[in-house]
Amino acid sequence: MLNFDADRFVKIETGAVAIAGEVRALVKKLLGEGVDRLYFMGTGGVQLLTHPAIELAGHRSRFPVAGAYPAEVVIDPPAALDKNSLVVIPSLSGTTKESLALLAFLKGRGVRTLSLTGHQDSPLAQGADHNFSNFAEDDTSSEMFYLQTLLIVLAIMAERGEFKNYDATAAELQKLPGLLVEAKAAFEGKAATLAAEIKDERYHIFTGAGSVWPEAYYYGMCILEEMQWIRTRPVHAADFFHGTLELVEPGLSVFVFKGEDAARPLAERVEAFAKRFTDKVRVLDAASVALPGISAETRRLISPVILATLLERLSAHLEVLRNHPLTTRRYYKKVEY
C-alpha cells in the first residue's frame, strides 16, 4: 500500500483500544464521586471525532453528554458546567492553545478533566486530572479518537446498566486494528482510482447522517480544505433537501457516506436523488467492508472508524497525484490568528 506502515498502524490502534479496562475503572470511580454530566471539548476537527459518541449517548442513555468548543466555553460557559462535570479534552499534540486555555479555565472552576493525547509529555497530558496517552499522528488519529471516545460513553452506559455488553464489545474491538489493515488493502485499488478521478476537481459536496455525518464533515474540512486546499460543502443528509439539492447539476461531485446505524436511510435518499442529476456520486459504505469476527451490534458502533480508515487511503493517493503533501499549509504556524 502507498506510503503505509501496517505494523505502525496496528500498534497505534491497538494502543487506542487497550484502554478499555482502565476507562471502565475510571468511569466507575468518577461516577461514584458524584460526576453527573460529561462534556467533550476538543478544538477544531478533533471535536468532530467526538460527535458519534455524543450522539450515541443521546439516543441510548439518559446520562447528560454534550459537546462544546473550548474557545467559546472560556468566554461563555454552559450553565451546567460545574464541579460535578467531567470534561474530556482530546488533542493529538497535547499543545493546542485553545485547549490549554480551556484546561486553565476548568481548573479555576474545579471541574474534573480527562485528556486524550498522542504525547505523554505534552502540557495537556500532564495538566489534566486524568490522561490517556497513546502515540499517534495525523494519519492514525481519527480511528484512535473515535474508538477512545466511544469507549468512554460505553463505559458510562455500562456502569448505569444501559449497555450490557461492554466486555464483549471491548474484546471485539481488540481484533479491529488488524481487520482495518485488511480493509485498507481491499480498498487500495479503489482509492487509487478515485484519487485519479478527483485530483483536479475543486469542489465537492459531502453528506451523511447518524454516526458517519461527523466523518463527512471532518474529511471535507480537515483533509480536503485544510490539507489539500479544495473547497467542500459538508451538509447533513437531513438538511440536504432544504437547500443544497438546488446545487446538484451535471458534473457536480457528491460524496455520500453510509453507515450501519438507524440513520442510513437518510443517506440513501440523498444518493438516489443525486444519481438522477449528476454522474459524479461517490458512495462510501461502511457495510461493504468485511470485518470477520465483528458482530452486527459492534459494527453499528464503528461506522465512522471504518470510513476514516478507508479515506486515509484516498488521502495517501491524492497527495501524491496532486503533488501536495498533507502537511503543507499556508497559514498554520505561520500567521498569528
Side-chain angles (χ1 to χ4, degrees), residues 220-292:
M221 181 176 75
C222 298
I223 307 301
L224 293 192
E225 292 184 352
E226 180 184 347
M227 300 182 182
Q228 290 294 295
W229 307 347
I230 293 172
R231 293 174 176 83
T232 71
R233 165 68 162 109
V235 57
H236 194 287
D239 286 335
F240 190 92
F241 294 97
H242 301 278
T244 306
L245 81 166
E246 294 294 340
L247 298 179
V248 179
E249 60 188 6
L252 177 71
S253 176
V254 180
F255 275 82
V256 180
F257 289 4
K258 294 164 66 173
E260 297 182 70
D261 55 15
R264 182 182 177 91
L266 297 178
E268 292 177 329
R269 182 185 178 209
V270 174
E271 177 188 3
F273 172 84
K275 284 181 174 179
R276 293 168 54 195
F277 301 103
T278 177
D279 60 346
K280 293 183 178 180
V281 178
R282 283 83 185 228
V283 179
L284 272 76
D285 187 355
S288 69
V289 177
L291 295 175

Side-chain angles (χ1 to χ4, degrees), residues 1-329:
M1 286 184 279
L2 180 68
N3 295 335
F4 180 69
D5 184 334
D7 291 338
R8 167 179 167 273
F9 177 84
V10 169
K11 181 178 180 180
I12 290 170
E13 304 311 335
T14 297
V17 296
I19 69 171
E22 294 176 81
V23 165
R24 181 75 183 270
L26 177 60
V27 163
K28 182 175 182 178
K29 173 179 178 292
L30 292 174
L31 294 183
E33 292 174 352
V35 166
D36 60 11
R37 184 175 299 271
L38 173 67
Y39 290 97
F40 288 102
M41 297 184 183
T43 299
V46 72
Q47 178 64 5
L48 294 172
L49 304 179
T50 73
H51 285 192
I54 296 170
E55 178 162 315
L56 175 67
H59 286 287
R60 296 179 56 177
S61 175
R62 291 185 177 275
F63 191 85
V65 178
Y69 296 107
E72 188 171 59
V73 170
V74 299
I75 58 176
D76 189 15
L81 182 64
D82 59 23
K83 62 183 179 61
N84 291 324
S85 302
L86 172 66
V87 174
V88 176
I89 311 173
S91 170
L92 182 60
S93 68
T95 62
T96 311
K97 64 180 182 180
E98 292 94 334
S99 296
L100 290 174
L102 172 71
L103 182 64
F105 175 81
L106 296 173
K107 283 182 175 292
R109 293 172 68 102
V111 178
R112 294 174 174 86
T113 55
L114 164 61
S115 60
L116 304 175
T117 58
H119 301 277
Q120 178 64 55
D121 60 352
S122 64
L124 197 60
Q126 296 294 317
D129 297 321
H130 308 279
N131 169 257
F132 292 110
S133 283
N134 180 55
F135 173 77
E137 293 178 296
D138 284 342
D139 59 331
T140 54
S141 63
S142 292
E143 295 96 328
M144 180 179 82
F145 286 124
Y146 278 137
L147 289 166
Q148 290 184 331
T149 54
L150 170 66
L151 285 168
I152 290 169
V153 165
L154 290 180
I156 290 173
M157 292 168 59
E159 288 300 318
R160 291 168 48 83
E162 296 169 331
F163 185 72
K164 305 296 184 183
N165 300 320
Y166 184 86
D167 291 338
T169 301
E172 286 188 36
L173 293 179
Q174 307 301 315
K175 307 173 187 176
L176 194 58
L179 293 173
L180 292 178
V181 172
E182 294 176 8
K184 287 176 181 288
F187 188 68
E188 186 74 4
K190 184 173 181 180
T193 299
L194 183 54
E197 288 178 4
I198 71 171
K199 66 183 180 66
D200 297 320
E201 293 182 358
R202 301 300 300 162
Y203 175 71
H204 305 273
I205 291 174
F206 279 84
T207 191
S211 66
V212 300
W213 157 238
E215 180 61 23
Y217 195 161
Y218 178 90
Y219 195 76
M221 181 176 75
C222 298
I223 307 301
L224 293 192
E225 292 184 352
E226 180 184 347
M227 300 182 182
Q228 290 294 295
W229 307 347
I230 293 172
R231 293 174 176 83
T232 71
R233 165 68 162 109
V235 57
H236 194 287
D239 286 335
F240 190 92
F241 294 97
H242 301 278
T244 306
L245 81 166
E246 294 294 340
L247 298 179
V248 179
E249 60 188 6
L252 177 71
S253 176
V254 180
F255 275 82
V256 180
F257 289 4
K258 294 164 66 173
E260 297 182 70
D261 55 15
R264 182 182 177 91
L266 297 178
E268 292 177 329
R269 182 185 178 209
V270 174
E271 177 188 3
F273 172 84
K275 284 181 174 179
R276 293 168 54 195
F277 301 103
T278 177
D279 60 346
K280 293 183 178 180
V281 178
R282 283 83 185 228
V283 179
L284 272 76
D285 187 355
S288 69
V289 177
L291 295 175
I294 304 297
S295 66
E297 179 183 19
T298 298
R299 288 188 66 114
R300 283 191 288 272
L301 299 172
I302 60 171
S303 290
V305 180
I306 297 169
L307 295 191
T309 220
L310 300 185
L311 287 161
E312 181 276 326
R313 292 289 76 216
L314 174 61
S315 302
H317 286 275
L318 202 56
E319 69 171 340
V320 171
L321 292 176
R322 301 188 73 246
N323 192 29
H324 187 135
L326 296 168
T327 53
T328 300
R329 303 287 190 278

Side-chain angles (χ1 to χ4, degrees), residues 97-98 330-337:
K97 64 180 182 180
E98 292 94 334
R330 282 196 181 103
Y331 307 117
Y332 181 62
K333 292 186 177 179
K334 297 178 183 178
V335 177
E336 186 65 29
Y337 54 89

